[in-house]
Amino acid sequence: MPQPFFVATHGDLPDPATLASMSGLDAMRRVAEGTLPQAPIAKLLNFRLSDVSKGEAVFHGAPLFEHLNPMGGVHGGWYGALLDSCMGCAVMTGLAPGRAYTTLEYKVNLVRAIPEGHAVIATGRVVHGGRTTAVAMGEICCATTGRPFATGSTTCLIMDAA
């Protein structure tokens, strides 16, 4: 069961030294548990990190009216942001203290439309975690039936934390 939504404000974001002192898995577990805040974008886009393990990150969410395009469908950017988040956080779970990542590129394939307000689960899984790059795959599925709505892939750059 997802924990209460703790979203960062300017004063809540952990300083880079604090994040660099812990493993990526520890940091992601703390976010999922609610002892570190969710990313500010999570509130705006109505999704949140709910569970992590090494090489995997799971998000829950639902697109709202505010996430619709002019034609009344969920904007493709919502799918992309959710996939980028679950895949990137999956990569983060494999990082040692003092290491960081950034997305180099990602690809999104929309399979079917997500209805407004429909609960989804997005899962990112690492397929390759190297010294300088990592590759992950992601999928957004219906929270009740498991039917896929979108898939994605990413390549991330692994580097020393700033």
Side-chain angles (χ1 to χ4, degrees), residues 147-158:
R147 277 185 79 180
F149 288 113
T151 62
S153 61
T154 189
T155 302
C156 295
L157 175 67
I158 309 298

Side-chain angles (χ1 to χ4, degrees), residues 10 28 40 43 52 102 106 110 121 140 148-149 159 162:
H10 280 75
M28 292 295 92
K43 182 177 183 183
V52 294
T102 190
Y106 72 101
L110 305 182
I121 297 173
I140 301 173
F149 288 113
M159 61 198 155

Side-chain angles (χ1 to χ4, degrees), residues 1 4 9 17 20 23 27 46 60 67-68 75 93 114 118 125 153-155 158-159:
M1 179 74 143
T9 63
S23 72
N46 197 41
H60 284 79
H67 308 130
L68 302 183
H75 192 283
T93 67
I114 302 172
H118 194 84
R125 291 183 181 90
S153 61
T154 189
T155 302
I158 309 298
M159 61 198 155

Side-chain angles (χ1 to χ4, degrees), residues 94-115:
L95 299 185
R99 301 291 280 165
Y101 81 94
T102 190
T103 302
L104 285 174
E105 61 85 27
Y106 72 101
K107 179 175 180 2
V108 175
N109 293 309
L110 305 182
V111 177
R112 64 180 47 84
I114 302 172

